[in-house]
Structure formats: C-alpha cells, structure tokens
Amino acid sequence: MEPTKFRESRLAINRLCEQMDELIEKKEVDESRACFDQAFGELDELRPKASGDIQERSVKNLAMKLKGMEVRIAKLKTKGTASSGSGSRVKNNIEWDIERVAQLSKPFLEKVLKNMAVDPESKVLFGTTGKGIRPNYQIEFKDGQIVSYTGSGHKPKASPKGQGAKNLSSPFSFQEIDGILNKTGDI
C-alpha cells in the first residue's frame, strides 16, 4: 500500500484507540464496544493492503493494541450492577443471546452439552441473574422432563416445581450449543 495512505489509515485507527481509551476511563461500556468494533473493522480493511515488513509490523502492533483495549472493555461493569461491598444489591438481568452464550468458556459449554446429550432434541435455558460466567441452567427434555443444574458444578439441583422459571433465558437448542463449541474449537 502507498505509504501515505497507509499512514493515514494507521493514524485514524490510533485516534479511535485514543477515543476508546477515554470512553473506557469514563466507564462507557456500550460506546467503548462500538468504538472497538469500528477500529477493528478498519484494521481488518487495512491488514490485506499492508505490504512490506514495516507495514505488516505496524498492523501487528495495532492488532495487539486493540486486543489490550478489548481486555479493558471486557473488565468494565455494565450499568446497573452493584460493586461488591456497596451495601445495596442492584439486580443484574443478563440477556442471553447466541453471541453471549458463545462467550461462555469452552469447558463450561462442554459440560452443558454433556448434560443435554441424553436427548439431542433438548433445550437449555440459562439463568439471568449473577455475573454470567458460570450461570445456573435448566434443561428441558423432549419428554417434558425439566432438570435444573448448578453452573459451578453442573450437578442437578433439587428445586420445587416452577421455582426460578422467571429468571431464565429463552431456550437454546442442543444443535446451537454444539455449533458454538465446534466454532470455538477453531479459534
């Protein structure tokens, strides 16, 4: 790529990083993520155009910088969460969608899938409270049986019928969870 155009693109991405840094400092989660997505998109456009060692090294450095920003954004708390020790508990309802489920750890999802494997037509519903790292979950089997599991130990929970149904996500199929695991295995 022509050096002047490459420099302009690189500087534009760096300006987005500075803007992202300010947003992170202000704890603006959604705005930080939007800025990150824009910067990452511009980097993806720039990457194949880089020619020569200097430009390729510059693209790698920008990618590392963005990776660091991504880690900082991931550590930000979303609005409505109470910090531990604040004295008041603000309820944090997690909205589960396929992208959010894909952010769960691979070992966690493997255990969920193992519990679902008895019935490939089963569906899993995740708990909407907590931090969303190892959520409790409920599996609905084709025969109508419903089993609730702890997120930390993946053990069945004994709970009275109907309890906790209000704190569950929409259902995700066995195939969706299996698809996430197969996709994350390639990363």
Side-chain angles (χ1 to χ4, degrees), residues 30-87:
D30 294 333
E31 292 84 354
S32 298
R33 287 183 181 145
C35 191
F36 173 82
D37 290 341
Q38 183 181 354
F40 196 78
E42 288 187 23
L43 181 64
D44 272 350
E45 288 179 28
L46 185 61
R47 185 174 281 130
K49 297 175 185 173
S51 60
D53 288 344
I54 294 172
Q55 289 184 4
E56 288 172 7
R57 192 169 44 244
S58 182
V59 166
K60 276 186 184 179
N61 289 340
L62 284 171
M64 288 190 325
K65 187 175 192 176
L66 284 176
K67 190 70 173 164
M69 292 287 197
E70 184 178 31
V71 169
R72 289 179 60 204
I73 291 169
K75 290 180 181 178
L76 290 177
K77 291 187 177 220
T78 56
K79 290 179 183 172
T81 60
S83 60
S84 60
S86 68

Side-chain angles (χ1 to χ4, degrees), residues 91-142:
K91 197 168 190 174
N92 180 22
N93 285 327
I94 300 167
E95 294 197 28
W96 290 102
D97 58 17
I98 202 74
E99 288 81 23
R100 180 80 186 242
V101 173
Q103 292 175 359
L104 291 169
S105 73
K106 185 176 179 179
F108 179 86
L109 287 174
E110 286 171 343
K111 290 176 183 172
V112 170
L113 196 64
K114 182 180 176 186
N115 285 332
M116 296 175 78
V118 185
D119 178 6
E121 294 185 39
S122 60
K123 295 179 178 167
V124 63
L125 296 88
F126 295 101
T128 59
T129 58
K131 295 182 180 177
I133 298 169
R134 290 185 305 254
N136 292 337
Y137 57 96
Q138 179 175 296
I139 298 177
E140 296 177 355
F141 295 97
K142 182 181 175 185

